[in-house]
Amino acid sequence: QSVLTQPPSASGTPGQRVTISCSGSSSNVGINYVYWYQHLPGTAPKLLIYRNDQRPSGVPDRFSGSKSGTSASLAISGLRSEDAADYHCAAWDDSLSGFWVFGGGTKLTVL
Amino acid sequence: QLQLQESGPGLVKPSETLSLTCTVSGGTIRSSTYYWGWVRQPPGKGLEWIGSVYYGGHSSYNPSLKSRVTLSEDTSKNQFSLKLSSVTAADTAVYYCARHSGPFSSSWFDPWGQGTLVTVSS
């Protein structure tokens, strides 16, 4: 069972706006940055959002991240077929000696 | 452009040691800026950080795996390696290598390798 909680699936039609949630705790999301990765099985995961809401160069502004308290969200607007992928959230957890924690991943289907 | 590629046996017997290597191209692992990490994804489950190694041999580990993990680097080959001992079926996963910077709490994994599937079975 993953430390961060994500819905296992999400879906939308082309052009729609979809949000994916990521719930953590006071030792991870509550006090540290959240990161989002896009992953097509069989390929290398790709950094999508860093430090809660920052987009790396080359990531379309259709993708946006936000964080409030112990929860974070990834929003995808103007949904496109190529957005169909698995999305994973991550954060550093300050408990024990500290370690990275991830969500279970959300499979996004574009209908 | 920095690229990472995992390599190693795709099948390991229970109780044995899993050994993987990540070859880095387009850049050097002899960096005082970056860490070199391992992340795995068991079938149908989420990602799990295994640990990271820093130039000079300093390593950090996921507490849940620390007792079984050894990380190392070979700067002459621009590679870093993972050894996971006493494996069980629960260690069956796609294993990824990735780069990140420090401090850990404000860094991210980028880029990643494509991953390699390791199955633990007799």
Side-chain angles (χ1 to χ4, degrees), chain A residues 35 37 39 44 47 51 92 100, chain B residues 96 104 106-109 112-113:
Chain A
Y35 302 85
Y37 298 93
H39 186 206
L47 176 69
R51 294 183 181 173
W92 181 256
W100 282 102
Chain B
Y96 298 94
F104 283 27
S106 59
S107 69
W108 52 90
F109 294 98
W112 298 60

Side-chain angles (χ1 to χ4, degrees), chain B residues 81-105:
Chain B
S81 299
L82 162 70
K83 291 187 186 299
L84 180 66
S85 64
S86 305
V87 298
T88 70
D91 295 309
T92 293
V94 176
Y95 286 76
Y96 298 94
C97 56
R99 183 188 73 172
H100 66 94
S101 61
F104 283 27
S105 61

Side-chain angles (χ1 to χ4, degrees), chain B residues 16-73:
Chain B
E16 295 190 344
T17 296
L18 178 160
S19 296
L20 294 175
T21 295
C22 182
T23 300
V24 178
S25 58
T28 178
I29 66 170
R30 296 178 63 128
S31 168
S32 59
T33 303
Y34 295 109
Y35 287 77
W36 307 92
W38 291 94
V39 178
R40 70 180 183 179
Q41 183 174 27
K45 297 187 178 181
L47 297 167
E48 179 181 36
W49 176 63
I50 299 169
S52 300
V53 65
Y54 181 72
Y55 172 52
H58 174 73
S59 299
S60 294
Y61 302 99
N62 188 321
S64 68
L65 296 169
K66 184 176 182 178
S67 64
R68 299 195 291 131
V69 174
T70 301
L71 301 181
S72 61
E73 51 177 336

Side-chain angles (χ1 to χ4, degrees), chain A residues 8-53:
Chain A
S9 64
S11 64
T13 57
Q16 270 191 328
R17 184 176 186 271
V18 171
T19 61
I20 297 172
S21 62
C22 174
S23 177
S25 69
S26 59
S27 63
N28 44 63
V29 175
I31 56 173
N32 289 313
Y33 291 116
V34 175
Y35 302 85
W36 290 91
Y37 298 93
Q38 181 189 55
H39 186 206
L40 284 165
T43 69
K46 171 188 171 184
L47 176 69
L48 202 61
I49 298 287
Y50 67 98
R51 294 183 181 173
N52 298 335
D53 56 10

